Amino acid sequence: MRSISIIISIITMLFMTGCASKKFKNVDYLENKIAEKNPTLNIFKPRNSKFKSNPVLVFVHGGNWNSGDKKLYGFFGRNFAKKGITTVIVGYTLSPNATYDEMAKQVAKAVEWTKENISKYNGNPNQIFLTGHSAGGHLVALVATNPKYLKDKSIIKGVILNDAAGLDMKNYLEEFPPTQEDNYNTTWSNNPQTWEDASPIYFLDKDTPPFMIYTGGSKTYQSIQVSNERFIKKLQKFQPAVEPIVLNKKHVAMMTQYFFPWSNRFDEIVEFIKSRK
């Protein structure tokens, strides 16, 4: 999973056009200083004057919970801004400097900040959607389902998962207990109850916001295949119509496809967002 950061860094330098959007860089979203340098977020809004109150897409990057950087995902924000979506790219503290719980709390704070402030960036605070790739998919799913993170989950109008990892960490860690490798002992601890608390699958209910789920099918990691299958099966009890959109792409390609503004993913996601108004 670490290779995604390297690949994205290289390709980002080749796609630095952004005249159709305006970027606001390193915006503080945490009220209190929690580290030597607090994580921040980037915001992309359309320049076109007809987009005055846009749906909002909050994106959380992946990187196995211990790598990645929001600055690598400008392409994502620019391309969605071109489609009339005000896009927020969230930075968060990585392991071993944070546990999954601290990461999720930061993502929740970013969502709450967005609710309170996004109108200043031509975003509609009543049309907030979450999306994430890999570990970022886990974090947005957890924030959208586990009631400990948001006082009011109804502010989330929908969730788009992109080859999300960790949807059932309890099941995974029971088979592969955490070690120092990839800082998993720090991220998840060695407590099985913590693993359950970290797993979005155990918090699905009738109030869960609508999900749109992309997977890489047989070409992605087996652990992601298994957790998505388990998650979707459980989710269908509450959202019977939900079905995975299987693209048969490798895990990194599930993210790099957004480099190209002609990707069908943009129209699919915009349609999902508009259908939830």
Side-chain angles (χ1 to χ4, degrees), residues 52-56 86 114 118-119 122-128 277:
K52 294 182 178 179
S53 184
N54 315 307
V56 179
T86 294
T114 299
I118 204 62
S119 60
N122 292 7
N124 184 342
N126 297 315
Q127 283 286 296
I128 296 175
K277 288 186 178 181

Side-chain angles (χ1 to χ4, degrees), residues 6-16 75 256 259-260:
I6 298 172
I7 294 172
I8 287 175
S9 296
I10 295 171
I11 303 181
T12 295
M13 292 186 288
L14 303 177
F15 290 87
M16 291 300 290
F75 64 91
T256 56
F259 280 122
F260 312 107

